[in-house]
Amino acid sequence: MTKRIVVKGAVQGIGYRPFISEKATEYGLSGYVKNCGASVEILVSGAEMDVDSFIAMLSKEVPAGGFILSVEASEVDKDALAALNPKDDGLYFGTDDSFVIIESSQLDLSSELPVFLPDIGICDDCMSEMLDTSNRRFRYPLISCAVCGPRMSILNRLPYDRDTTTMEDFCMCPSCQKDYGIGRRKYAQTISCHDCGPQMILKVRKSATFESGEKSVQKAIELLRDGKIIGLKGISGYQLVCRPEAEIASRLRKVKGRENKPFALMFSTVEDIRKYAFVSELEEKLLKSSARPIVLVRANNEIIFPEEVLKGSLYIGAFLPSAGIHRLLTDELGPLIVTSANKSDEPMIINDEKFLSVFMPDSGKQSDDGIADTSVDAVLYHKRRINMAQDDSVMFVINVDGRETSQFIRRARGFTPLPVIVDPTSDNNDLSSTSYSDRVLSDEHKIGILALGGDLKSSFAFGKGDRIIPSQYIGDLKDYEVNRSYGKLLNDYQRIFEFKPEVIISDLHPLYMSTKMGKELSNKEDIPLLELQHHFAHIYSVMAENSLTECIGVSFDGTGFGLDGNIWGGEFVYCKGSKAERILHLSYAKLAGGDEAPKNAGNVALCYIHEAKKRGLISPDAFDNVCESKVHIKDMTHVSNSDSKLLLAALDNNINTFETSSMGRLFDAVSALLGICSYNSYEGECAIMLEKEALLFKGEDYPKFTFSIKDDEADQIALFAEIYKCLQEGNYSKRAIAYGFHMAIKDLITKASALLYRKFSDTDSASVDMAVCLSGGVFNNRLLLTRAIKALKDEGFEVCWNQKVPLGDGGISTGQAYYGLLNS
């Protein structure tokens, strides 16, 4: 019997062809295996029982790092067999009993979205070899094998072979050539060593001297030990590295232009992390996973890093080495700050010349001690080209009733371009497993959907059939360089995946760069364009992960252009198929200040107080002396007297004002009111600091605030007035008030969800087990997220929330793509 088998899934870049060759030989089969685009084609001949057993094995076994989506087998007759013989390769199938690996062939990828692997962190075997003094790759910083190393960041085109990646620039030495045919490195396209692969090179600022190989690594270690900051060209982009000391971290903030956001720290091992933080079972699993994400772990109370490193955060953004060079540095120096090499808000640098021009210019402003404030001291790099920047993924873990789940803040290296699988027959969307082997791929939704995402934390996504491929995190499109990177990456993805969109989905906001891009592309290519409201897209992203076609949605974030022209952000919606409806929302608050409003929380608090006073919710004389600084707000350092007068005048005269239902702005206002944080130097800072205070509350007696609901509005101004009066009375600490505020939002979610359920179940337009979906950047608040999930479950609801894409705007494109599939 002879059968032709096509295996689809993550089957390239993991040594799958050698695996198949060994298995076929084990089953006594002859034939061949080859890559075809992003799938693998196998031809086998042998006894019927052996062939059938081999096919059954394909659905269950796969090398580390891969997974199977489908196995399709068909019997081959003699005429078809003659056509399939790979004669041009000097191999003629059927002349002997051998099974061979042959060169890849191109496959038309237009029928469905292929699956390709992300960059994979260094495996345990390679790590052991690099640390083994007797191994020929001892201390080779870029060591890799068939199951680890760069993939997406070095890919030129599919299929994945050495000559279709930037490894084509490096010829294998005889020893690596031998390794390429046997063992763990059989057909490992990134195989290299000290003799033939990319080597580390060190350039010191304002010095013509270069060091290479082991000398460069040793010199870099010396510089870091002496308190210097170096640039490091890693696997997926440039990084900035230094020791986590106050003075050094302070200088690094000047280099990056990063004011208050905490730095991530790289450790050699999980045991090292435990010296500084608590690590749960799932957090350890994530840290050790092939993706090597940054995981936010709770710092312990005994040993803490300087304020300039963590900026008061309760959590350490900890991660493990994703490449050999990282381990060599951390083994010698201990924990290190390792952060992406970019100026604040700009994209991660991947180009050698670009890094030198930005971080090591020939001349620059010198500080008193002769060190350039905005320059690094040296750069440790290699000459392997990087095609696509891949920032570190960022995750955290929540625990609901003893069950841990992982959440994305940023989805990038280690996860993209893995797809989100849309399959109503499956309850498992874990791409680290092989649970898809028995699925039948959907024949529906074959129209290609291009979803452009939003402008903040931008990403795009392709949707087709039963899968959605979100891009990596790109950045905020208001930045010119991020905008350019977005366009280049979109072109690269379309070329690699041979994707031609038939429908474009964009955000509704008329001023978003992504919206404008959608209109331009639609007009240029004559492709239909659909616009989806921002908060609806958030809910559709959760629906996509869970293959839902109906739900109640709770979408809380900072900003989103609403259907009525106002700024939304505290929304309760009902979705069924491609129809979405806003049912209930936070009441509108009038803000002034234009684009500065999302940053200046102090001004937002003044706007809320002004509105509460006008409505008689607080005493008429409250805050009358605001312009004379006789305010109860303790830390509104970004609110000056003159600014206050102008702000109040603008509100009274409707000058540059706008209406918003944003939950994110309510968080800002309360944070400023309590004197916790009055300015967002990075997105969400005020809300993060407010959550911190609530998490630190240990008592049981806290104020019970309540949102009143009338018609389709939950009154946020009345709630704010309650908090204001509670603060004035002085009976509770600000931590207790912060905690009470969180509990009020939790209660609102539960109460509103019950109202919506009754509304739609009474009209028979909703199923009995209709889920409540939670999404939006506000739900990155783990206190609110866990309490809301538990409260909803206690009320009998099925609860879903983003776990495969970020809760924030990084998940918008996935929601847009799913909406497009449902609409097709």
Side-chain angles (χ1 to χ4, degrees), residues 253 258 260-265 276-277 294-301 303-318 394-396 409 682 684-685 687-693 695-696 780 782:
R253 292 192 179 279
R258 181 172 178 168
N260 284 326
K261 197 172 184 180
F263 285 124
L265 291 160
Y276 302 90
I294 296 170
V295 181
L296 301 183
V297 293
R298 183 72 177 258
N300 63 35
N301 295 321
I303 306 175
I304 199 68
F305 290 96
E307 169 68 16
E308 278 301 312
V309 176
L310 297 183
K311 284 294 182 178
S313 175
L314 294 177
Y315 300 94
I316 298 174
V394 183
M395 306 181 76
F396 66 95
I409 293 177
Y682 60 88
E685 182 179 2
I688 290 169
M689 293 296 104
L690 182 60
E691 179 197 9
K692 173 187 174 181
E693 294 302 316
L695 285 168
L696 291 173
N780 280 321
R782 65 183 77 193

Side-chain angles (χ1 to χ4, degrees), residues 504-510 515-516 518-519 529-534 536 563 816 819:
I504 299 170
I505 315 286
S506 73
D507 196 272
L508 189 67
H509 201 305
T515 305
K516 294 176 182 179
K519 291 178 179 177
L529 172 68
L530 299 176
E531 293 180 334
L532 179 63
Q533 201 281 324
H534 187 91
F536 296 165
L563 296 174
Q816 292 172 343
Y819 169 79

Side-chain angles (χ1 to χ4, degrees), residues 625-656:
N625 296 321
V626 62
C627 297
E628 282 70 39
S629 298
K630 295 179 181 178
V631 297
H632 193 82
I633 301 174
K634 300 173 182 176
D635 186 32
M636 287 173 53
T637 55
H638 287 84
V639 183
S640 68
N641 293 345
S642 58
D643 287 343
S644 299
K645 292 178 181 179
L646 290 173
L647 183 73
L648 298 177
L651 289 170
D652 287 334
N653 294 280
N654 287 318
I655 299 172
N656 195 25

